[in-house]
Amino acid sequence: VRCEAVTVDVTPSGDQRESIVLTAAPAAAGQARAWLTAVAASLIERARCQDLELVVSEIVTNSIRHGRPGGEI
């Protein structure tokens, strides 16, 4: 099964929700990390945020590598 588009939703507290849709391009991993840091920095300690940045980078990079170029991730 190939997933062409993924929307990431984060619910920091209550009913607030943050999401991002990226274009499958080399800049997407950096954009995802920057977005995650902006959303999570006030919610978790810096070391855990760095762990999440690594995980998000891997997920986005894999979706670019194995997905449709130029599609949404």
Side-chain angles (χ1 to χ4, degrees):
V1 175
R2 178 175 272 191
C3 184
E4 293 184 7
V6 174
T7 299
V8 178
D9 290 320
V10 175
T11 305
S13 63
D15 52 344
Q16 294 177 333
R17 177 171 265 183
E18 298 286 338
S19 63
I20 185 171
V21 177
L22 302 166
T23 301
Q31 293 167 339
R33 284 191 308 273
W35 172 82
L36 175 66
T37 299
V39 170
S42 65
L43 302 171
I44 60 175
E45 62 186 66
R46 182 67 189 139
R48 295 298 66 85
C49 194
Q50 290 173 327
D51 292 341
L52 285 175
E53 289 172 0
L54 177 61
V55 171
V56 165
S57 291
E58 289 296 317
I59 292 169
V60 171
T61 299
N62 285 341
S63 67
I64 293 168
R65 179 176 292 161
H66 301 291
R68 185 181 60 154
E72 291 182 343
I73 55 171

